[in-house]
């Protein structure tokens, strides 16, 4: 891709047509071929080798607050300690975090290349999506503070802000343009339909979703349903985080989903279900009752490879 | 019927005003000063036990009977629920090499002052990792029908912090930038201790 000045934007139709044509005639940059561990597009070692051979990065005119040295340091963290790559606190980035874990897991080399292209050129393509973040987010990336490890991960800041800037759902209707502090407001929020749309546009996966923003999925036995799906592909859960942690502080509370996690494992012993999921920077193992699990889950997204 | 509406509407209005009002700075400072010894002790003990093996502790219910214990490692977190009336909490702590008696004592003291949550939060200044101890408490004065549940949260810093003229916690390098912890503006109690009345207990 050619360099373009920060203010210059592609015409949407042209960009869409170009993207469509590009997707038809070539293999998409991030089209993962399989959902199993054995069929990753690249490995962490590939990404580490690429980073080692990468010539020195110059400062980017597109991302004025991201120093190239810190960016590279962050990308090295991606391949050395991937669990720490997307840890953030006090933001509405959980949907992007869940999605980013699978991105890095399936094609670390492609992901690292994408971020470097985004840094150098101010735009990049992933799947069917061409990212060209607005100036507001480009000037903020690198300056987010008091968000946990996100403070010292400028590449992650760049990536999350780009995703939130590009994908919009009905929750973002009243706050579409980024202003400082919007990362923990509705600007960054992700409703269930938006989350599934992101998956469909970024990856060449078959995405099946059950549930909605305010209505729980109608599933007879949630444990059996999740266990079956997990054997065949990836499962994302859209759940009520407050209920997951705070069980009986308040007698009644209107439950709405607030959080996305990537389910890694599920097992049952008596009436207690053991779930393992990625949440922030850590893999979390938790025991929940069947009733609570059914109560907290509002959306289940199941992804498999098209082939 | 019509006349009774004249009484009902002002009554409901007064009720809503009363239930919306939240205790102010006086309550927060007074609460800390009245429980200073216990709060400082809980904080110090938590720090020392955390240094042995990291954990976070939460009371799950209003009666302070059920505990949620988070065992932390570099890349994972195990969350277990326990009934304090049974012995399995102590057994599990011993099994995973936590200082069992000390943590049970800490939980008992937390229960005494209705402390719902204690954790260590990392933050960064000039890319250097620092940490604070975050404690939140339930208090009947803070709950109202319309406002819902509120918590009294305390942040214990290791270093001296900076505040604006209204006593709000600010950024060290940008004094006009409010510094939020868990999405909440905190207010000064001392140079190193701040409070907030918040809907988020963790």
């Amino acid at each position: 891709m050619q360099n373009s000045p920060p203010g210059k934007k592609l015409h949407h139709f042209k960009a869409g047509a170009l993207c469509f044509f590009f997707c038809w005639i070539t293999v998409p940059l991030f089209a993962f071929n399989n959902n199993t561990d054995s069929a990753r597009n690249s490995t962490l070692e590939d990404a580490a080798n690429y980073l080692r051979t990468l010539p020195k990065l110059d400062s980017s005119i597109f991302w004025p607050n991201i120093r190239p040295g810190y960016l590279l340091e962050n990308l090295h963290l991606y391949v050395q300690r991937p669990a720490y790559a997307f840890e953030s606190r006090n933001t509405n980035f959980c949907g992007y975090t869940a999605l980013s874990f699978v991105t890095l897991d399936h094609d670390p080399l492609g992901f690292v290349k994408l971020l470097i292209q985004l840094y150098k050129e101010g735009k990049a393509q992933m799947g069917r999506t061409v990212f060209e973040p607005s100036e507001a987010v480009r000037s903020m990336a690198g300056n987010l503070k008091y968000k946990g490890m996100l403070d010292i991960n400028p590449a992650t800041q760049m990536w999350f802000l780009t995703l939130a800037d590009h994908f919009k759902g009905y929750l973002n209707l009243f706050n579409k343009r980024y202003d400082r502090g919007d990362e923990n407001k509705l600007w960054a929020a992700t409703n269930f339909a938006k989350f599934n749309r992101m998956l469909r546009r970024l990856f060449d996966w078959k995405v099946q979703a059950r549930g909605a923003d305010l209505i729980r999925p109608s599933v007879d036995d949630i444990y059996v349903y999740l266990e079956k799906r997990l054997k065949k592909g990836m499962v994302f859960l859209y759940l009520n985080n407050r209920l997951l942690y705070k069980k009986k502080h308040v007698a009644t509370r209107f439950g709405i989903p607030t959080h996305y996690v990537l389910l890694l494992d599920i097992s049952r012993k008596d009436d207690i279900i053991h779930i393992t999921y990625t949440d922030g920077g850590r893999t979390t193992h938790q025991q929940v009752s069947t009733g609570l699990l059914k109560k907290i889950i509002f959306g289940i997204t199941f992804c498999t490879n098209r082939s | 019927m019509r006349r009774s509406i004249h009484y009902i509407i002002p009554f409901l209005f007064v009720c809503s005003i009363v239930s919306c009002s939240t205790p102010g700075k006086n309550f927060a400072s007074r609460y800390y000063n009245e429980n200073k010894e216990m709060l400082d002790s809980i904080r110090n003990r938590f720090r020392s036990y955390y240094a042995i093996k990291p954990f976070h502790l939460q009371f799950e219910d209003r009666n302070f009977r059920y505990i949620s214990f988070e065992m932390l490692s570099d890349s994972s977190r195990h969350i277990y629920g326990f009934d304090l009336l049974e012995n399995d909490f102590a057994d599990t702590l011993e099994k995973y090499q936590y200082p069992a008696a000390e943590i049970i004592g800490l939980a008992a003291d937390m229960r005494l002052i209705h402390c719902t949550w204690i954790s260590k939060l990392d933050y960064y200044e000039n890319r250097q990792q620092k940490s604070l101890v975050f404690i939140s408490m339930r208090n009947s004065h803070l709950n109202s029908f319309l406002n819902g549940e509120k918590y009294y949260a305390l942040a214990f810093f290791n270093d001296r912090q900076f505040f604006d003229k209204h006593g709000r916690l600010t950024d060290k390098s940008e004094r006009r930038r409010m510094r939020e912890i868990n999405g909440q503006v905190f207010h000064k109690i001392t140079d190193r201790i701040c409070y907030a009345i918040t809907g988020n207990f963790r």
Side-chain angles (χ1 to χ4, degrees):
Chain A
M1 283 190 181
Q2 297 290 313
N3 275 352
S4 62
K8 191 179 174 183
K9 289 182 179 173
L10 278 176
H11 190 282
H12 286 281
F13 177 74
K14 280 183 184 171
L18 261 174
C19 173
F20 180 73
F21 181 66
F22 180 79
C23 292
W24 262 105
I25 61 165
T26 61
V27 178
L29 180 67
F30 268 80
F32 301 134
N33 295 323
N34 206 317
N35 56 306
T36 58
D37 283 353
S38 58
R40 291 191 173 100
N41 276 14
S42 62
T43 62
L44 288 172
E45 204 182 338
D46 296 334
N49 289 336
Y50 170 77
L51 286 172
R52 266 196 293 275
T53 56
L54 195 72
K56 194 180 166 234
L57 266 183
D58 291 327
S59 297
S60 170
I61 54 166
F62 301 100
W63 306 92
N65 293 311
I66 298 183
R67 293 188 200 175
Y70 290 155
L71 181 92
L72 283 178
E73 200 178 293
N74 193 180
L75 294 180
H76 279 289
L77 179 81
Y78 279 17
V79 294
Q80 286 159 4
R81 300 168 86 181
Y84 287 88
F86 306 110
E87 188 185 323
S88 71
R89 199 172 51 233
N90 189 24
T91 64
N92 282 348
F93 289 153
C94 59
Y96 314 119
T97 305
L99 183 148
S100 303
F101 274 119
V102 291
T103 313
L104 182 61
D105 186 52
H106 280 69
D107 190 2
L109 177 62
F111 188 47
V112 164
K113 280 182 175 175
L114 174 100
L115 291 178
I116 292 206
Q117 187 187 14
L118 193 61
Y119 182 70
K120 281 180 173 173
E121 300 174 12
K123 58 182 175 183
Q125 180 173 352
M126 177 173 171
R128 291 186 286 141
T129 306
V130 177
F131 293 113
E132 197 172 0
S134 65
E135 194 176 349
V137 301
R138 282 191 278 108
S139 53
M140 192 60 202
N143 263 352
L144 293 181
K145 269 188 173 181
Y146 306 118
K147 311 291 179 195
M149 268 200 85
L150 190 64
D151 292 11
I152 53 163
N153 289 345
T156 309
Q157 290 188 25
M158 181 173 82
W159 171 238
F160 283 171
L161 288 168
T162 297
L163 283 172
D165 190 56
H166 185 88
F167 290 105
K168 295 294 170 196
Y170 73 87
L171 286 177
N172 316 116
L173 270 181
F174 299 106
N175 187 1
K176 279 192 167 178
R177 194 183 177 282
Y178 179 79
D179 292 305
R180 192 174 187 161
D182 276 351
E183 59 278 353
N184 50 352
K185 293 182 184 160
L186 278 181
W187 175 83
T190 304
N191 56 296
F192 193 46
K194 174 180 156 180
F195 182 75
N196 294 318
R197 193 167 63 247
M198 287 196 293
L199 288 171
R200 288 188 182 105
R201 292 200 180 160
L202 294 174
F203 308 103
D204 187 27
W205 291 337
K206 190 178 173 189
V207 177
Q208 293 172 292
R210 296 284 296 267
D213 289 336
L214 295 175
I215 302 165
R216 295 182 182 90
S218 166
V219 177
D220 287 340
D221 187 332
I222 194 113
Y223 171 77
V224 173
Y225 182 86
L226 291 174
E227 191 193 28
K228 271 187 183 172
R229 297 297 177 287
L230 206 54
K231 280 177 184 164
K232 294 177 187 167
M234 278 175 299
V235 176
F236 294 93
L237 301 179
Y238 184 33
L239 41 85
N240 184 320
N241 208 23
R242 292 178 75 106
L243 283 176
L244 181 62
Y245 293 127
K246 184 165 79 172
K247 287 162 189 164
K248 293 164 199 159
H249 283 197
V250 188
T252 54
R253 181 181 284 279
F254 180 60
I256 51 165
T258 48
H259 198 50
Y260 292 91
V261 299
L262 173 66
L263 186 67
L264 300 176
D265 190 31
I266 188 162
S267 60
R268 180 158 64 182
K269 196 177 176 188
D270 304 325
D271 191 38
I272 296 296
I273 294 175
H274 297 251
I275 49 171
T276 305
Y277 55 92
T278 58
D279 186 16
R282 286 191 171 105
T283 301
T284 302
H285 310 267
Q286 189 167 2
Q287 301 167 322
V288 288
S289 64
T290 310
L292 182 68
L293 191 67
K294 202 165 181 179
K295 197 175 173 186
I296 60 174
I297 293 178
F298 281 74
I300 303 168
T301 301
F302 171 53
C303 303
T304 46
N305 183 272
R306 284 191 184 282
S307 58
Chain B
M1 181 64 191
R2 218 177 202 189
R3 287 188 77 177
S4 61
I5 282 176
H6 290 148
Y7 295 104
I8 291 169
I9 289 174
F11 175 73
L12 288 176
F13 180 73
V14 170
C15 284
S16 64
I17 295 290
V18 169
S19 65
C20 282
S21 62
T22 50
K25 190 182 174 182
N26 288 339
F27 166 80
S29 303
R30 196 182 66 231
Y31 185 88
Y32 174 74
N33 289 323
E34 282 170 4
N35 298 283
K36 185 177 182 306
E37 231 169 78
M38 178 65 94
L39 286 165
D40 288 346
S41 159
I42 286 175
R43 179 250 188 159
N44 293 335
R45 282 184 285 158
F46 171 74
R47 278 175 61 87
S48 60
Y49 308 153
Y50 188 99
I52 299 168
K53 210 166 181 199
F55 70 95
H56 292 159
L57 189 60
Q58 177 197 330
F59 277 94
E60 287 182 352
D61 62 325
R62 288 188 282 185
N63 298 323
F64 289 82
R65 176 176 164 182
Y66 295 96
I67 253 183
S68 175
F69 190 76
E70 297 191 2
M71 301 177 181
L72 307 171
S73 74
D74 267 1
S75 58
S76 70
R77 173 173 66 158
H78 288 76
I79 306 175
Y80 294 107
F82 299 100
D83 181 346
L84 281 183
L85 295 183
E86 292 170 11
N87 291 328
D88 50 352
F89 183 41
D91 297 342
T92 309
L93 289 174
E94 274 167 17
K95 183 182 168 189
Y96 289 99
Q97 288 146 8
Y98 281 91
E102 289 84 349
I103 289 177
I104 289 169
L106 177 75
D109 283 348
M110 284 173 67
R111 191 181 183 187
L112 273 181
I113 58 163
H114 290 185
C115 176
T116 46
W117 170 249
I118 187 162
S119 67
K120 179 171 158 276
L121 291 180
D122 293 332
Y123 64 95
Y124 294 85
E125 275 179 6
N126 299 323
R127 298 183 69 80
Q128 296 300 309
Q129 190 182 34
K130 298 193 170 186
S131 67
L132 62 91
V133 173
F134 185 90
I135 298 179
S136 61
M137 275 145 296
R138 288 169 58 91
N139 190 297
S140 55
H141 290 102
L142 303 178
N143 300 329
S144 67
F145 174 69
L146 288 181
N147 270 343
E149 186 99 359
K150 295 278 180 195
Y151 299 87
Y152 178 63
L154 285 172
F156 293 85
F157 291 88
N158 297 327
D159 312 320
R160 184 176 162 255
Q161 298 301 306
F162 296 90
F163 302 88
D164 68 3
K165 61 181 177 183
H166 303 294
R168 293 174 299 190
L169 184 67
T170 60
D171 189 85
K172 203 171 186 175
S173 50
E174 286 178 72
R175 297 293 169 81
R176 287 165 70 183
R177 184 174 177 177
M178 287 301 116
R179 176 177 173 182
E180 293 183 352
I181 303 169
N182 285 350
Q184 197 68 38
V185 174
F186 272 65
H187 299 265
K188 182 177 181 176
I189 295 178
T190 71
D191 282 350
R192 292 163 196 241
I193 303 170
C194 334
Y195 79 91
I197 308 291
T198 170
N200 297 322
F201 75 104
R202 56 180 286 169

